[in-house]
Every structure is written in C-alpha cells, then in structure tokens.
Amino acid sequence: MFFENIAEVEAYSKVQNKVDFSTIQVMMQEPEYIWKGFIRDLAFIVNNAMSAFDENHKVHKAAIKLEERIRVLLSNLPIMKERYQKIRDGESEKEIEREEELQKEVIIETVPEVILGKDEAADFNDEEAEEDNHDDDDEV
C-alpha cells in the first residue's frame, strides 16, 4: 500500500507537512539536505500516516513499525533522537533552533569557568567586557 503521489491521497488532505518518501528521495540529491532535514522529514512521514489514517489501517500500523525502527537507529544519536521527538511532539524547527542557540550560549558562558575556575573566569569575563567597551570607544 504505497502511494505514488501523497497529494492524491484523500486522507492526507488534513496533514500540515506533506512529506513522503519521494520527497526525501528528491531532497537527497541536494547537498544541503543533511541530518536535520532528513530527521524532520522522517518525523513528518510518521506523523502524517498516524494522523491521516485510523489506527487499524495498515498505513498507520506501518508508521508505528517505521517509528520503532527509526528509534532503534537513532538510539546511538541522542541529539537527533531528541530533535526527532521534538518534531513529533509538534515543536517547530525555529523553536528547536532557538533552544539550540540558547544551549550554545550557556556553554560559551560556562567554558571559561570550567577551564579557569570560578574566580579566574570572573576576572576573564571582566577583562573581556572592558576590551569590548574600549572597542566601542574606538568606533565612535
């Protein structure tokens, strides 16, 4: 029960992110199509099948099996597993990206403390702030 064109399947008319395996096949030709896009599209495919078809329908059941296999494959990739789950839970990519940026900021702020120790990191951050203030004076 594979569909040649997802857009022609009436049950899919209510899904928001119309992605199917032919979409992935086309996208894999693009060098920019990396893990994030692939994981997102797999999550959309599972969501689409599970929301468009009744739980007794074979497409819904196939989506459950696919999700089980995806989870096994991703079990060694914790970051992608977390991203996959967030997309399955309905979180937008923008929200996920924003969260990742905030996590990077926290890491950047805590690295000096981890490397130098709390007191030296505070001195380091004060020196950095002072240099930034002098740089601003030079631009005026």
Side-chain angles (χ1 to χ4, degrees):
M1 164 119 284
F2 292 100
F3 306 109
E4 198 62 37
N5 185 347
I6 190 172
E8 295 173 2
V9 178
E10 186 178 326
Y12 275 93
S13 63
K14 63 182 174 181
V15 299
Q16 185 176 1
N17 301 293
K18 296 186 178 2
V19 177
D20 60 9
F21 290 110
S22 65
T23 305
I24 290 177
Q25 183 179 18
V26 169
M27 294 302 295
M28 289 183 92
Q29 305 302 315
E30 300 296 322
E32 304 85 34
Y33 190 70
I34 55 173
W35 272 103
K36 288 180 181 180
F38 182 68
I39 295 302
R40 177 204 59 224
D41 290 346
L42 286 176
F44 286 160
I45 287 172
V46 171
N47 281 350
N48 292 348
M50 292 175 78
S51 66
F53 294 93
D54 179 58
E55 61 187 39
N56 294 321
H57 195 281
K58 58 181 153 183
V59 172
H60 187 101
K61 290 178 181 179
I64 291 171
K65 286 182 183 179
L66 175 62
E67 181 170 34
E68 290 169 2
R69 290 184 178 141
I70 289 169
R71 288 185 181 283
V72 169
L73 290 171
L74 296 177
S75 65
N76 293 317
L77 302 168
I79 294 169
M80 288 298 119
K81 184 177 179 181
E82 185 177 327
R83 174 177 278 275
Y84 173 83
Q85 187 58 53
K86 287 178 180 180
I87 293 169
R88 285 277 292 121
D89 291 342
E91 195 169 332
S92 75
E93 283 191 276
K94 287 181 181 179
E95 291 170 321
I96 295 169
E97 296 293 332
R98 193 172 24 253
E99 222 176 81
E100 288 173 353
E101 286 303 314
L102 289 173
Q103 288 173 349
K104 286 178 191 175
E105 287 176 20
V106 169
I107 291 169
I108 290 169
E109 289 174 7
T110 58
V111 165
E113 187 173 314
V114 171
I115 295 171
L116 301 172
K118 197 170 195 172
D119 294 336
E120 290 180 55
D123 292 342
F124 174 81
N125 288 333
D126 290 344
E127 289 172 17
E128 288 287 310
E130 226 175 85
E131 284 181 21
D132 287 346
N133 288 338
H134 289 296
D135 289 346
D136 290 343
D137 294 342
D138 293 341
E139 291 176 9
V140 175

